[in-house]
Amino acid sequence: MPTLKMSFASALSAAVLASGLALGTAGPASAATCPSEASPTARGGEAHWKIACTRTGVKVYGWVQDTAADGRCATVTATSDGGPGWIDMVEACGSGVRENFDWSIPGTKAAKVWLRVIDTD
């Protein structure tokens, strides 16, 4: 591969890697039915949540914590899966900051929940 193409490919690969690290995703969310529990980690954040069945839907509750002094925030996002459109997010910003969440999602027996670490800019 010519030097110019190799440099461009290297730069492109570095940019893609950097953008993935900037988001700090803990992987794609998959639907979880109740009852279930997860404790994901990502560079700069961690979380724990439970999904419990209720008479009218599901309850998603737990916490998210920022674990690095890096100017980014750890977030947990949840969406309904199979029910009416619903989404919520909580963020913890600042190393050691922990935020609790407690959401009720009506009309479904499953939810998609995921942890991300995002730039605050």
Side-chain angles (χ1 to χ4, degrees):
M1 182 181 276
T3 306
L4 181 58
K5 284 185 180 179
M6 186 177 290
S7 296
F8 178 74
S10 297
L12 182 59
S13 296
V16 169
L17 179 61
S19 67
L21 293 176
L23 287 178
T25 59
S30 58
T33 57
C34 52
S36 66
E37 187 171 351
S39 297
T41 61
R43 185 186 310 184
E46 63 184 2
H48 178 79
W49 60 74
K50 292 184 179 183
I51 300 175
C53 294
T54 69
R55 275 189 304 102
T56 59
V58 296
K59 180 179 181 111
V60 179
Y61 60 97
W63 53 264
V64 60
Q65 184 167 337
D66 186 335
T67 60
D70 57 7
R72 300 186 308 157
C73 298
T75 68
V76 167
T77 305
T79 64
S80 58
D81 186 59
W86 182 95
I87 187 168
D88 209 339
M89 182 184 88
V90 64
E91 65 182 17
C93 298
S95 184
V97 172
R98 179 181 282 197
E99 296 292 337
N100 295 317
F101 54 91
D102 187 347
W103 300 313
S104 294
I105 308 173
T108 185
K109 292 297 178 193
K112 292 180 182 177
V113 186
W114 64 95
L115 166 68
R116 293 187 307 159
V117 176
I118 61 171
D119 288 327
T120 57
D121 297 337

